[in-house]
Amino acid sequence: MPYDVEKPDEQWRTELTPGEYVVLRQAGTEPAFTGEYTDTKTQGVYSCRACGAELFTSETKFESHCGWPSFFDPRDTDAVELIEDRTHGMVRTEVRCARCGSHLGHVFAGEGYPTPTDQRYCINSIALRLTPAEG
């Protein structure tokens, strides 16, 4: 699928830190409980660290105690792309930025969290950038 933001791999490597590159462009995962947004309660908008697209808001962030930031819904349904992921002997749903195709994490459903959507978007902190709300 073509994305609005497409760059050669060499450009992604120079624009992203090595850790960002592994997660965003190679579908890696940061270690649990190490990301800067895992426990943050700051109000604001979470954007894709690779392209700046607005993905999630603090209003949909919740504490799942899974080790990564969790959201129950994207800011806009068109902001993310969901793709079946059969790696590591599992069937999961990968979450990518719909604007640049960067890997963000995975979404899970039916886990019993008390959220309006019964979904948990388990997103790598290193894939996001938080812009605090004004005021």
Side-chain angles (χ1 to χ4, degrees):
M1 154 176 190
Y3 295 102
D4 290 343
V5 176
E6 292 194 15
K7 300 176 185 182
D9 190 58
E10 297 76 29
Q11 187 173 352
W12 285 121
R13 284 183 185 274
T14 60
E15 292 179 2
L16 301 171
T17 68
E20 291 168 351
Y21 181 83
V22 166
V23 170
L24 290 160
R25 305 310 303 170
Q26 296 183 319
T29 302
E30 67 189 347
F33 301 102
T34 63
E36 69 179 301
Y37 302 130
T38 302
D39 297 316
T40 188
K41 307 238 186 304
T42 303
Q43 296 295 303
V45 175
Y46 292 86
S47 301
C48 176
R49 198 171 288 232
C51 74
E54 294 183 354
L55 303 170
F56 300 95
T57 67
S58 56
E59 285 79 29
T60 64
K61 188 174 188 287
F62 70 101
E63 291 189 36
S64 66
H65 308 286
C66 70
W68 295 273
S70 296
F71 303 87
F72 61 79
D73 210 15
R75 179 166 193 189
D76 179 345
T77 54
D78 293 336
V80 297
E81 175 183 27
L82 304 179
I83 299 171
E84 184 178 279
D85 177 1
R86 293 183 168 267
T87 60
H88 307 294
M90 299 178 262
V91 178
R92 303 178 290 175
T93 302
E94 179 185 7
V95 181
R96 290 187 189 173
C97 173
R99 187 168 175 234
C100 70
S102 289
H103 173 79
L104 304 171
H106 291 87
V107 63
F108 304 94
E111 295 179 315
Y113 289 103
T115 63
T117 62
D118 198 26
Q119 293 182 315
R120 176 174 59 95
Y121 284 79
C122 183
I123 306 298
N124 291 283
S125 285
I126 201 167
L128 301 172
R129 180 166 285 117
L130 172 60
T131 302
E134 294 181 21

